[in-house]
């Protein structure tokens, strides 16, 4: 009899804990509880709880200049809004622990990189949901959390009218440009030039690391402890999503300089030709030096070096 009473009291306390956490979440427009460190320790950490909590460890204060934190926060809020409007088959709460309230915890856990998305399931140890290009988006995050919890989650994302307008403008511009090109060029020349441009773009993208990004879905950029952006991973076995774009642009600039030297410079009038030649050669050397600098940054033993350290 005493055991039943104890179990009943325990269940009542756990139910009250979830209700308290829900009340904290209701203070936020999107249903994400803004946790202090004592609240985090009381409502999230205990394994005896009967509910799950998804917590983002983040730094949203403008002084940290963490753009990635704000992007992940938008995704978490979209998932929380969607879950709040669904028929809830499980007790799942969403929360935020900012470094302003949990710096002591971050330091004791050895957390030197944020944001992080932690899942605290009932009766089990916490686990981290690795943030990648896919899981940092609201749709990808909802899909992954749904897999882990065995439920269906749909994010509530506001319509991005600027994106739609930009896409429509780009489509209309491409259609108009195609119409102009078709009118002015013969079909044979058009097909030949299209194949040439497509082949060049394909080669530039494939040699710059795009396929590695498609397979591994790395974060778009890295981040220092102070929140500054990092464009290149400091090892040749990893890379960020922005790296292929930078490297492909540098490859394209080098190729353009060579084409200019071969096709355009010989047609320049005699007095201006030396100046144009020096300018194009200087651009080629600078871009090539930058590429060597990037490769040496990722692999210190890289042997080539020109101008830039």
């Amino acid at each position: 009899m005493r055991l039943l009473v104890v179990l009943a009291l325990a269940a009542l306390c756990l139910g009250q804990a979830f209700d308290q956490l829900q009340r904290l979440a209701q203070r936020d427009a999107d249903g994400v509880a803004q946790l202090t460190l004592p609240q985090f320790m009381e409502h999230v950490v205990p394994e005896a709880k009967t509910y799950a909590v998804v917590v983002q460890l983040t730094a949203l204060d403008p002084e940290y200049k963490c753009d990635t934190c704000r992007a992940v926060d938008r995704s978490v809020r979209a998932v929380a809004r969607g879950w709040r409007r669904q028929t809830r088959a499980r007790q799942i709460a969403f929360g935020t622990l900012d470094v302003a309230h949990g710096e002591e915890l971050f330091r004791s856990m050895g957390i030197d990189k944020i944001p992080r998305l932690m899942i605290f399931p009932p009766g089990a140890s916490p686990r981290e949901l690795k943030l990648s290009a896919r899981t940092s988006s609201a749709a990808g995050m909802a899909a992954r959390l749904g897999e882990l919890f065995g439920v269906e989650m749909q994010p509530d994302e506001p319509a991005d009218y600027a994106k739609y307008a930009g896409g429509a403008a780009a489509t209309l511009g491409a259609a108009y440009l195609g119409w102009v090109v078709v009118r002015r060029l013969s079909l044979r020349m058009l097909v030949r030039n299209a194949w040439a441009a497509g082949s060049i773009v394909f080669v530039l993208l494939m040699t710059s690391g795009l396929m590695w990004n498609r397979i591994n879905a790395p974060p778009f950029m890295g981040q220092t402890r102070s929140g500054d952006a990092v464009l290149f991973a400091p090892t040749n076995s990893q890379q960020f999503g922005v790296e292929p774009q930078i490297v492909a642009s540098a490859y394209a600039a080098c190729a353009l300089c060579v084409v200019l030297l071969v096709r355009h410079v010989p047609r320049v009038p005699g007095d201006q030709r030396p100046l144009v030649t020096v300018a194009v050669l200087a651009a080629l050397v600078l871009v090539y030096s930058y590429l060597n600098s990037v490769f040496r940054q990722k692999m210190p033993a890289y042997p080539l070096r020109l101008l830039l350290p």
Side-chain angles (χ1 to χ4, degrees), residues 93-113:
F94 292 83
T96 294
L97 181 62
D98 198 279
V99 67
H101 302 296
E103 184 175 359
E104 179 183 342
L105 176 69
F106 288 17
R107 191 181 297 113
S108 65
M109 293 176 63
I111 295 177
D112 58 354
K113 182 180 178 182

Side-chain angles (χ1 to χ4, degrees), residues 59-77:
L60 297 174
D61 196 289
E63 70 173 290
Y64 296 106
K65 301 177 182 178
C66 182
D67 295 332
T68 308
C69 296
R70 287 188 282 273
V72 171
D73 180 64
R74 288 192 292 270
S75 297
V76 170
R77 291 182 172 279

Side-chain angles (χ1 to χ4, degrees), residues 146-192:
E147 293 173 6
L148 294 174
F149 290 126
V151 296
E152 182 179 357
M153 285 190 171
Q154 296 292 337
D156 178 17
E157 297 182 272
D160 190 350
Y161 295 108
K163 180 180 178 182
Y164 297 149
T171 302
L172 290 175
Y176 176 75
L177 180 62
W179 178 72
V180 171
V181 169
V182 168
R183 286 191 61 188
R184 292 180 178 271
L185 296 177
S186 66
L187 182 60
R188 182 178 178 182
M189 183 180 296
L190 177 62
V191 171
R192 184 180 65 185

Side-chain angles (χ1 to χ4, degrees), residues 249-254 257 282-292 308:
S249 300
Y251 284 159
C254 288
C257 289
L284 176 61
V285 170
L286 284 175
V287 176
Y288 184 70
S289 301
Y290 175 71
L291 277 173
N292 286 338
L308 299 179

